[in-house]
Each structure stands twice: as structure tokens, then as C-alpha cells.
């Protein structure tokens, strides 16, 4: 696996404000921001400016951010998941199978429009894991 486990924070329409807050508080640099409207993803007009994915970095620390899709809610305290970045298709499949054993498969492991194989699981302890193998 590459790097460290990365926290992924979810917000209900205020991810941009949170991103700016943590940038100031931690002294980091915003390295990526993509809205739902900019992505190759079917998006209703009211979601166009919501953040689909953003990243804040400071040294070796990385935090990812996103807004929910309209109609989806966030439960404060449960709005964080952990991201792993495997280095092969075999590794992502093994992690997906192992972490979902006794838990739930939230997003099937599949190819994405951002050039990765991605899946999301909730393990038997209730922890949500986002698995992202970047192919390109």
C-alpha cells in the first residue's frame, strides 16, 4: 500500500468552508478541488457547486473532503472514513474481501471515471474504508 491511511471527512454542503477552516488552522495547502458539476457524473443543478472531492496537505499529512449529494445526510461523528491506496488490482481485491467479511459492501469494487478501481466497505466494527487503486 502507498503512504498512510488518509482520513476522509464528509459534509452536508459546507465542505468548502471546512476546507478553508482546516487550511488556516493547520497551515496546509489545498492540492485538489473538484465539484460535482465539474465531474463526469450525472448531477442535478443544486449539487453543481458542492465538492465531490478535495484534498488538503501539510507535509506528510493529507486529509480528504467531500460534500454529500443533495438528499443525503451527514451524522456528525460518523462523517469520517479511512482511505487506503493499494498498489495493485490484486491488493485492492484482497483488502475489499477481507474488510467486508462480516460487514457490509457499501460500493461494489469497480472501475471509475477518475481512472481508478474503487470500492467502499463498512467492516464488522462499523468502520468505513474507502479503497482506491489509481490505475493511471
Amino acid at each position: 500500500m502507498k503512504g498512510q491511511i488518509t482520513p476522509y471527512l464528509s459534509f452536508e454542503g459546507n465542505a468548502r468552508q471546512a476546507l478553508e477552516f482546516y487550511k488556516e488552522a493547520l497551515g496546509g495547502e489545498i492540492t485538489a478541488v473538484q465539484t460535482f458539476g465539474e465531474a463526469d457524473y450525472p448531477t442535478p443543478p443544486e449539487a453543481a457547486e458542492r465538492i465531490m472531492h478535495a484534498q488538503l496537505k501539510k507535509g506528510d499529512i493529507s486529509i480528504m473532503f467531500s460534500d454529500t449529494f443533495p438528499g443525503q445526510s451527514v451524522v456528525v461523528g460518523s462523517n469520517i472514513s479511512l482511505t487506503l491506496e493499494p498498489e495493485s488490482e490484486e491488493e485492492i481485491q484482497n483488502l475489499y474481501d477481507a474488510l467486508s467479511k462480516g460487514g457490509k459492501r457499501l460500493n461494489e469494487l469497480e472501475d471509475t471515471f477518475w481512472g481508478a478501481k474503487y470500492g467502499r466497505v463498512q467492516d464488522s466494527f462499523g468502520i468505513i474504508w474507502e479503497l482506491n487503486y489509481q490505475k493511471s
Side-chain angles (χ1 to χ4, degrees):
M1 273 181 279
K2 293 189 254 180
Q4 304 175 29
I5 293 174
T6 304
Y8 207 114
L9 308 178
S10 297
F11 299 89
E12 200 168 332
N14 60 342
R16 190 175 306 276
Q17 292 91 334
L19 183 62
E20 291 295 333
F21 172 81
Y22 290 115
K23 174 187 170 195
E24 291 301 316
L26 302 174
E29 175 187 355
I30 298 169
T31 59
V33 176
Q34 182 179 37
T35 65
F36 281 99
E38 294 167 337
D40 183 19
Y41 188 80
T43 302
E46 64 271 18
E49 294 303 312
R50 284 184 176 225
I51 291 179
M52 181 178 213
H53 176 75
Q55 190 165 21
L56 176 70
K57 289 188 173 189
K58 180 174 183 176
D60 292 339
I61 297 170
S62 177
I63 304 171
M64 296 181 187
F65 297 75
S66 71
D67 281 314
T68 59
F69 216 61
Q72 295 177 333
S73 61
V74 168
V75 177
V76 174
S78 298
N79 57 331
I80 185 169
S81 59
L82 301 174
T83 302
L84 294 174
E85 297 187 81
E87 296 187 60
S88 69
E89 293 211 29
E90 180 182 4
E91 186 178 21
I92 194 171
Q93 185 67 58
N94 290 341
L95 286 166
Y96 185 81
D97 292 341
L99 289 168
S100 63
K101 188 175 181 179
K104 297 178 195 172
R105 294 179 176 200
L106 303 175
N107 292 89
E108 291 298 322
L109 198 55
E110 62 186 0
D111 291 331
T112 66
F113 66 85
W114 63 84
K117 182 163 278 223
Y118 172 84
R120 198 165 70 104
V121 301
Q122 184 175 36
D123 69 22
S124 60
F125 299 98
I127 305 299
I128 296 174
W129 296 89
E130 301 201 33
L131 308 173
N132 189 74
Y133 165 56
Q134 193 64 43
K135 294 179 178 187
S136 51

